[in-house]
Structures are given as C-alpha cells and as structure tokens.
Amino acid sequence: MARPLPSLNALRAFEAAARLGSVSQAAGELHVTHGAVSRHIRALEDALGRPLFVRDGRGLALTADGHRLRDSAGEAFGVLQAGWIALQRGPRAAALVLGCPGSLLARWVIPRLERLAADLPDLTLHLSAQEGGVDLAAAGLDAALLLGEAPWPAGWQVWPLAPERIGPVLSPRHARFAALRDGPPRALLDEPLLHTASRPQAWPRWLASHQLTDAPRLGTGFDHLTYLLEAAVAGLGVAIAPRELVQADLDSGRLVAPWGFADTGGTWALCAARGNPDARIPLLADWLRRDLLPAD
C-alpha cells in the first residue's frame, strides 16, 4: 500500500526554501515564521528518514533527495497555480494542449505561466511533458514547444522563435573549478564531459564553434537535462545546456558559464499540425518569441 503524501503545507514550505535558498526568505514569501518553515522541513526529513538540506557555509544546499523533491514539488505547485488562475477566470474555451520536454517545462515554461496568463487571459493551457520524438496526433497535442532543428516533419507547421544558444556550465564546487574557469575552451578536451543521450551532437558542435575538432571525452550520461544539470551543480562535471534553461542557475551563482554560449544551428520552435485552424497557436508563438527575443 502506498504511503500517504506528506502535508501540503510542509511541501509548500520546503519548495519555497529550496527555490529561494533560504528559510528566512521562504518564511517571508509564505507569511509565516522562520520556525514554522524549519518545522515543516524537519517533518519532511523525519518522514523520509534522510536530510533534504545540508549546511553550505552560511547558507543551505540541497541534497540529492532535496533536488528531486524540489523539481517535482515545483512542477506540481506550478500546475496547481495555473489551474487555480484558470478557475478564477471562470469557464473558457477548451484548453490548448501544449507538449514540451520535461526539462523545458520545469525550467522555462512553468516559471512564466503567471505572466503568460496575465498577457493572454483567454488562453488556457494543458501542459504535457514529452520525451523523445514527438508525435502530435498520437500524443493528443495541439502544439509542441521544442528545441530542435530542420528538417521538421512534413506534416507540421513550424513557427521559429529564436536561435538556440548552448554552452558549457560548471559549479564552483567542481574540484578543478578555478583552473577550468580561467582556462581556454581547449581545457575541456581533458575533462570527462557530462552529456544527455537526447542531444549527442551538443558537445561536438559547441567545440567545433571554437575551432576544436577533437572528439570530446564523454563522462556520465543522463536521460534528462534536469538530472544532467543537477549533477553539474553538485560539482560532478561540466555539462552543456541551452542558455535559457540555466539562466536562473547562472543568476544565483549555482553555475557559471566561463566560455559563453554559441548558436550551433538549433532553434526554439512552436510546432502544430499543418492546417490546424486554432488562432491561439500563432498568438502563443508571438508571445513566446517576444519572451525569447526581448527588445533591446
């Protein structure tokens, strides 16, 4: 028999502390005391039997279990928030079913849902995580937000949104952080590089953009970008990722990108079946393009 879920208040307190990196800031956001947030986190750790946070200097760092719970709790609360906003607005047209990779959904789409709802109040989305090759009809999708490149399937209509810019990222916790940060891109050829099976050409293409044609040394591989990046945050190696999906980590200092990002031919694109008459899709494409290509 499955164990019951822990308190939603406890999960909410943990998610806020994990997202903000601070119990005090989480308490301020939730309008509760510092002690209340600490007790909720302790209750979760007691129920799990393992820590979710460890002390890191004066701050807090997530354990591996903490990272997993943060990602799942953040995604769940984001979906709940979007659903609640939709309910408050009353009955609407049927939701537009939008598919996208899980890492893109968690790291880029969900943080923008509130703003999207404010800007396009008549658009209700149903979000569906898609991995691997996307079959719009088989998955029941009205549209898909993807990172990819031509040629696209012949039966698709594609709205290109912005170039995909990818680059290597690593954590200050990496054992060779100082040497790598101050070294040239060629220094990466001596590193076992973290990678994902879904984007086998990411490293070779980025290296080629820096006139490096040597075959990279590939280290640990991951099925999903989310796990790849958490391994990088933990200091386990150098990862490669689209800039937009790591921007929050760069802003917080969890990751750094010493060598920058390069356009290697991929693109952000919104895709739908050719001839789909739904007028909301081009509206969504315009909104996404404005977000990805902000005005100077």
Side-chain angles (χ1 to χ4, degrees):
M1 180 177 178
R3 295 181 181 179
L5 283 172
S7 159
L8 288 180
N9 285 334
L11 288 171
R12 189 58 170 149
F14 163 78
E15 187 277 335
R19 172 168 39 83
L20 298 171
S22 165
V23 171
S24 297
Q25 291 184 43
E29 179 179 287
L30 299 175
H31 306 292
V32 298
T33 66
H34 183 286
V37 174
S38 295
R39 286 192 295 274
H40 280 313
I41 293 172
R42 191 161 53 250
L44 288 176
E45 292 177 327
D46 289 344
L48 184 64
R50 296 188 297 277
L52 296 168
F53 288 101
V54 293
R55 283 286 174 188
D56 185 10
R58 294 186 176 182
L60 292 174
L62 288 164
T63 64
D65 289 316
H67 283 300
R68 292 175 62 189
L69 184 58
R70 181 202 62 184
D71 290 343
S72 57
E75 181 175 343
F77 282 118
V79 172
L80 283 172
Q81 182 182 39
W84 178 245
I85 291 171
L87 285 172
Q88 287 179 311
R89 293 200 175 97
R92 298 287 180 185
L96 180 78
V97 182
L98 178 68
C100 59
S103 55
L104 195 158
L105 176 63
R107 286 180 161 263
W108 196 84
V109 175
I110 287 176
R112 287 163 172 77
L113 283 178
E114 187 171 7
R115 182 154 49 85
L116 174 60
D119 291 345
L120 299 178
D122 293 326
L123 173 63
T124 300
L125 291 178
H126 177 86
L127 299 169
S128 175
Q130 302 288 316
E131 305 299 341
V134 174
D135 185 327
L136 296 171
L141 303 178
D142 295 310
L145 176 62
L146 302 173
L147 290 167
E149 58 188 86
W152 303 96
W156 285 12
Q157 182 174 359
V158 177
W159 288 263
L161 305 174
E164 179 194 30
R165 294 180 60 81
I166 63 173
V169 293
L170 73 160
S171 165
R173 299 166 66 183
H174 191 290
R176 298 186 61 242
F177 173 73
L180 288 171
R181 177 194 57 192
D182 298 329
R186 177 169 291 278
L188 292 174
L189 295 175
D190 297 324
E191 287 290 307
L193 304 174
L194 306 178
H195 61 100
T196 59
S198 60
R199 302 297 295 275
Q201 295 304 311
W203 274 116
R205 289 185 179 179
W206 186 86
L207 291 169
S209 74
H210 288 74
Q211 292 75 53
L212 298 172
T213 57
D214 308 61
R217 287 181 58 204
L218 297 181
T220 305
F222 297 85
D223 287 337
H224 302 293
L225 182 67
T226 295
Y227 304 142
L228 171 83
L229 293 176
E230 291 306 330
V233 168
L236 302 181
V238 183
I240 191 163
R243 178 184 59 190
E244 291 80 4
L245 300 193
V246 293
Q247 192 61 57
D249 294 301
L250 297 177
D251 292 342
S252 69
R254 284 178 10 121
L255 293 172
V256 297
W259 307 280
F261 296 84
D263 181 352
T264 60
T267 186
W268 289 72
L270 187 67
C271 310
R274 190 174 299 279
N276 186 327
D278 195 324
R280 297 173 298 176
I281 297 175
L283 289 177
L284 177 59
D286 287 342
W287 188 93
L288 294 167
R289 189 178 294 111
R290 289 195 301 272
D291 194 277
L292 287 162
L293 294 172
D296 295 332

